[in-house]
Amino acid sequence: DVGPIIVQAAVPVMPDDDTKALAARVLRQEHQIYPLAVRLIAEGRAKVVDERVVLDGVAMAETTLANPPPPEDAD
């Protein structure tokens, strides 16, 4: 968990969340985005240059954020 962020997902914090519920929601998103990050690297589309992510030849802003669609069986 070091280095620049390649893919990141937004996870809502619900008013009735406890640490277990929030951790489960984060883990579901991690399961969605991790394969995407690995694929981008494996395909040579994502590279780290000077501690910044370059995606398809374009340097990404530190605030770039994408939220993948939830899995079919999401709560």
Side-chain angles (χ1 to χ4, degrees):
D1 286 346
V2 296
I5 296 168
I6 296 173
V7 179
Q8 185 177 35
V11 178
V13 178
M14 304 302 187
D16 60 339
D17 273 345
D18 59 14
T19 55
K20 187 176 178 179
L22 182 57
R25 193 173 307 110
V26 168
L27 185 61
R28 282 194 300 274
Q29 286 300 315
E30 287 176 342
H31 286 173
Q32 292 294 303
I33 66 175
Y34 187 80
L36 172 59
V38 171
R39 185 173 66 243
L40 291 171
I41 294 166
E43 292 174 349
R45 295 180 57 203
K47 299 176 184 179
V48 176
V49 178
D50 296 327
E51 299 300 316
R52 303 231 13 205
V53 174
V54 175
L55 180 62
D56 294 332
V58 178
M60 297 287 95
E62 292 179 22
T63 57
T64 302
L65 179 68
N67 207 19
E72 295 296 320
D73 58 45
D75 321 66

